[in-house]
Amino acid sequence: MFQIRIHGRGGQGVVTAAEMLSVAAFLEGRYAQAFPSFGSERTGAPVVAFCRLDDKEIRLREPIMQPDALIIQDPTLLHQVDVLAGLRHPEGCILINTQRTFEEIGLGEFVQDLHPRNLVTLPATELSFKHVGRAVPNVPLMGGFAAICGLISIDSVVAAIQEKFRGKVAEGNIAAAREAYDIVKADLKEAGYA
Amino acid sequence: MRKQCEGSQAVAEAVALCRPEVICAYPISPQTHIVEGLGELVKSGDLAKCEFLNVESEFAAMSVAIGASAAGARTYTATASQGLLFMTEAVYNASGLGLPIVMTIANRAIGAPINIWNDHSDSMSQRDCGWIQVFAETNQEALDLHIQAFKLAEELSLPVMVCMDGFILTHAYERVDIPSQEQVDAFLPPYVPRQSLDPDDPVSIGAMVGPEAFAEVRYLAHAKQLQALDWIPRIAAEFGQMFGRDAGGLVRGYRLEDAQTIVIALGSVLGTIKDTVDELREAGLKVGVLGITSFRPFPLAAIRQAVQGARRLVVLEKSLAVGIGGIVATDVRMAIDGLPIKVNTVIAGLGGRAITKASLHRVLRQAMDEQLEPVHFLDLDLGIVNRVLERERAQRRTGPIPEQILRQVGAVASRIA
Amino acid sequence: MDAQIKFYQTGTFTVGNRLLAPEQRSVQADMERTNSLNSGHRACQGCGEALGARYAIDAAMRASDSQLIAANATGCLEVFSTPYPETSWQIPWIHSLFGNTAAVATGIAAAMRVKGRKSVRVIAQGGDGGTTDIGLGCLSGMFERNDDVLYVCYDNQGYMNTGVQRSSATPPAARTATTMAVGKEPGNPFGQGKDLPRIAMAHGIPYVATATVADLRDLERKVTKAMAMHGARYIHIFVPCPLGWGAQAQDTIKLARLAKETGIFPVYEAEHGEITQVSKIRHRVPVEEYLQPQRRYAHLFGKPPLVATIAKIQELADCNIRRYGLLEAEGS
């Protein structure tokens, strides 16, 4: 079982991200479970969503306390919520929506024993503005996720986007996801982790 | 057809396949997505020959359902928590009149204090009203139980409550297999009422019944629920043959064969319990699980049969009978009356508190080591409780209790679970 | 018949029915009438509600070609018409609860619609308690959705079935078991109460009317007219209760007439919130004539009489006369 925990703020599509990841996994024939932390969501308030992937039926229903991957849609949460709690070491993956590096955002020490190929920063908000015209970093981050962890293909992510959105919105999101995927792939290649 | 979707959406599609004729509901978290889904299907024309009414309260919802069902229409509604309480008078009226209404309960805690998260206090509050109550373990079972519910209700002329954990099931995305219209039509024929309001054959429904006959009328309601003990497995078997899936029934056992300790529970927590039990089994402990699907009628014989070889039962329930203890556990004790089996009540998940594998491991081992008190509250912070009691002893004007507790609990928004 | 015959109606047994052409006669004069509320029910002698219900439902049955389903609130009518194991209803009838009658009727109407039974009509009925108080939520919902239901309220101005307690339809100064004739302001206080017909009008529904059991033809006409329409309709019928009001059983119809002739109970029709017809007062009468025969107002006529209170009641009647144009000379 692979467990993904997504952190963000209300209005950034955290819950939708978890749901779309589960749909992408489903399209590849896997079992997936996605659910939010069921808070009284308000725009801007911290939100957590969970996604489990497995090759057999998922029965577990507890919140994900020891994630294999973390997707952090809003770096301002780093100093407000213990978003990194429970992340598995040393295999854990982290994707953060930021233009800065892990060191620059103060996580240098935390990620010391994590493998560099599993650590990704992505300017997801900028990508979403470019392709969709709004700050919806969730979809580019999904594209980035497809590029690491080796769990979901970018084509499944695209298919999940097409199931959720229509027309121009779908097109824009797909473009954002693909560009994010390409960026991460290029970064990994450059760093020698192709 | 297999799809990955929200539990609420799956239920809405299943209900639509049952060709309901009147849907009347009032919004309340966490049932909203079910009714919204159905509303959209009716408005778009995808669900034809169906009247969808936006009513002004839950009391109105059940009342409109009563009128529609009494006039011979297949009728559906959904609610939770406060809404169920608000319609309670009508809930009793529906079962008393023998109307085969199907209602989803998206299980949610009852206030005060107001709480929108999952536990079973709402449906438990109505366990004596005469409605059949079934509990879904997964979203697949939730949608399957609705299809079975219409058949059961109309066969017995008794209303059925399909209970599914609010948020945990309703708002979770998981894989479901949605049947085809042909399959459902073959399984569920059109509704033929035993009684109905019809100018061609007038009857008076709802007259007063005095001491001379009330007991017999009530006994008949009880007798019909006992008949359901036969009908529920029968319908589940028929469902299995038609749809190729095990859903419904009275109880469902897991690794019971040589179990010395059996955990009993209702609803979605069974999933987490099964994962825990697998791990305990790997450690050599003889533990099994019994899920109760039909809570009313309470399957006394089936439970007794399933657990008679065990030494200990741990009833894990999301409900609390204030002033006494467990609710499910009390019913279970009746089932095993006379057998040399110990029963532990574990009250967990109240108001949506997560039930974790770690806590289950701890409490089950404690039970097996005879270290668990008869009624145990899982993950309760007794320190907080005692500080409140202390404060109440010290002063008169202590302010609202939730405020006192929340001050100790601190900021919640920054928490993960 | 060329000339139109006008009769002053003094009671259901006279009226000159024999002199009218058959089509001008009342439903009640018809030997083939449904008798929807058949004899044998357990109402008190002189019960205004039993009379009103018989008039209204028989008229509705004729208007709908006997294709009618009735939902009934808890209350006197429900209790005295269905004493276990008997029923005096000759029509399909359901009693659910006290406060949900309008909603139950909505459900029946929805069922008939979905089943394509367009000719089957739905009527909901209840007393003032079940309508203006506990039933108001469901009633308002039915109005707001414009559900195809005719709601008939039999207003005897109190919770009679449970022992004559005050409702929001109880008039000022009236004695009830919960507004006793003691203290500084004996009886029900002034400045309270709900005017259900006006609340109904405020919902903008297709048809609202008030009527009394003193004018059979007017009541039948209004029910018939309502039945020719679709959507939410409301008829409010004034029905004296001899027991609850402390009046003589034989005075039921007289008191209903006096309520109209004093101006205390205005009789009118409205469509979509606008008044369309008003029944004028024929011989205006001071309120004392109406109040005195009722022991629920006995404290107003003691030693000394509560002249000021009676004057306040008169003022309310005068206000109605002005507002609705109840006198021939005034209004258009």
Side-chain angles (χ1 to χ4, degrees), chain B residues 20-22 49-51 53-57 59-74 89-91 93 97 99 191 196-210 212-213, chain C residues 66-70 78-79 82-100 102-108 110-115 117 120 134 137-142 144-145 147:
Chain B
E21 294 175 285
V22 175
K49 284 231 189 111
C50 180
E51 293 281 326
L53 289 100
N54 282 309
V55 291
E56 65 279 7
S57 76
F59 177 64
M62 184 51 62
S63 300
V64 172
I66 286 169
S69 187
R74 180 172 283 164
E89 195 192 10
V91 168
N93 193 253
L97 294 178
L99 298 171
Y191 172 40
S196 82
L197 298 165
D198 188 341
D200 298 336
D201 185 13
V203 285
S204 292
I205 298 177
M208 180 177 278
V209 173
E212 55 287 321
Chain C
S66 298
Q67 296 286 296
L68 190 72
I69 298 177
E78 166 260 325
V79 169
T82 54
Y84 178 84
E86 303 163 34
T87 177
S88 37
W89 293 103
Q90 309 255 52
I91 62 169
W93 177 95
I94 182 167
H95 160 241
S96 172
L97 296 167
F98 198 8
N100 71 355
V104 173
T106 290
I108 299 170
M112 291 301 105
R113 205 160 50 240
V114 79
K115 290 189 181 291
R117 298 190 67 176
V120 179
I134 198 171
C138 290
L139 185 64
S140 177
M142 183 273 275
E144 169 274 302
R145 283 186 303 270
D147 294 325

Side-chain angles (χ1 to χ4, degrees), chain B residues 69-332:
Chain B
S69 187
R74 180 172 283 164
T75 308
Y76 169 82
T77 186
T79 192
S81 179
Q82 315 300 130
L84 181 59
L85 290 189
F86 194 56
M87 58 158 70
T88 297
E89 195 192 10
V91 168
Y92 271 76
N93 193 253
S95 50
L97 294 178
L99 298 171
I101 299 164
V102 171
M103 170 163 66
T104 309
I105 302 294
N107 290 114
R108 167 185 148 180
I110 290 175
I114 183 168
N115 172 298
I116 61 167
W117 294 270
N118 162 257
D119 73 28
H120 290 163
S121 51
D122 51 8
S123 42
M124 286 299 158
S125 77
Q126 300 308 306
R127 64 191 186 279
D128 301 328
C129 70
W131 281 59
I132 291 175
Q133 292 186 325
V134 293
F135 282 77
E137 187 176 330
T138 60
N139 280 329
Q140 181 67 61
E141 189 166 43
L143 83 88
D144 290 340
L145 280 173
H146 282 86
I147 300 170
Q148 293 186 27
F150 282 103
K151 196 175 174 100
L152 181 66
E154 290 167 14
E155 178 56 51
L156 290 171
S157 292
L158 269 186
V160 178
M161 252 180 238
V162 181
C163 304
M164 62 188 294
D165 287 320
F167 287 125
I168 298 177
L169 289 182
T170 57
H171 285 59
Y173 259 64
E174 51 193 63
R175 170 192 297 211
V176 288
D177 193 345
I178 310 236
S180 69
Q181 186 66 70
E182 292 71 41
Q183 282 178 303
V184 177
D185 286 343
F187 178 77
L188 182 65
Y191 172 40
V192 178
R194 284 196 187 278
Q195 59 173 341
S196 82
L197 298 165
D198 188 341
D200 298 336
D201 185 13
V203 285
S204 292
I205 298 177
M208 180 177 278
V209 173
E212 55 287 321
F214 189 84
E216 282 70 27
V217 173
R218 286 315 281 152
Y219 183 79
L220 272 165
H222 175 62
K224 272 212 265 183
Q225 276 230 8
L226 296 180
Q227 273 179 15
L229 288 169
D230 289 325
W231 278 98
I232 288 170
R234 202 180 306 177
I235 286 175
E238 225 181 284
F239 187 89
Q241 275 190 334
M242 170 70 68
F243 300 89
R245 271 196 299 280
D246 171 31
L250 297 172
V251 299
R252 189 177 296 122
Y254 180 76
R255 305 189 83 160
L256 289 179
E257 305 75 43
D258 58 343
Q260 299 272 282
T261 300
I262 298 177
V263 187
I264 301 184
L266 285 75
S268 64
V269 73
L270 285 163
T272 308
I273 293 173
K274 286 176 185 174
D275 271 13
T276 310
V277 162
D278 278 355
E279 286 166 14
L280 290 168
R281 277 277 182 183
E282 257 165 67
L285 295 160
K286 293 188 171 24
V287 197
V289 188
L290 184 68
I292 300 178
T293 308
S294 166
F295 184 69
R296 284 294 182 270
F298 193 76
L300 291 166
I303 289 175
R304 190 185 184 88
Q305 163 81 8
V307 306
Q308 60 193 356
R311 277 216 301 258
R312 170 181 306 280
L313 304 178
V314 178
V315 179
L316 185 99
E317 56 179 294
K318 293 178 174 177
S319 40
L320 168 64
V322 176
I324 171 171
I327 295 176
V328 180
T330 304
D331 289 0
V332 166

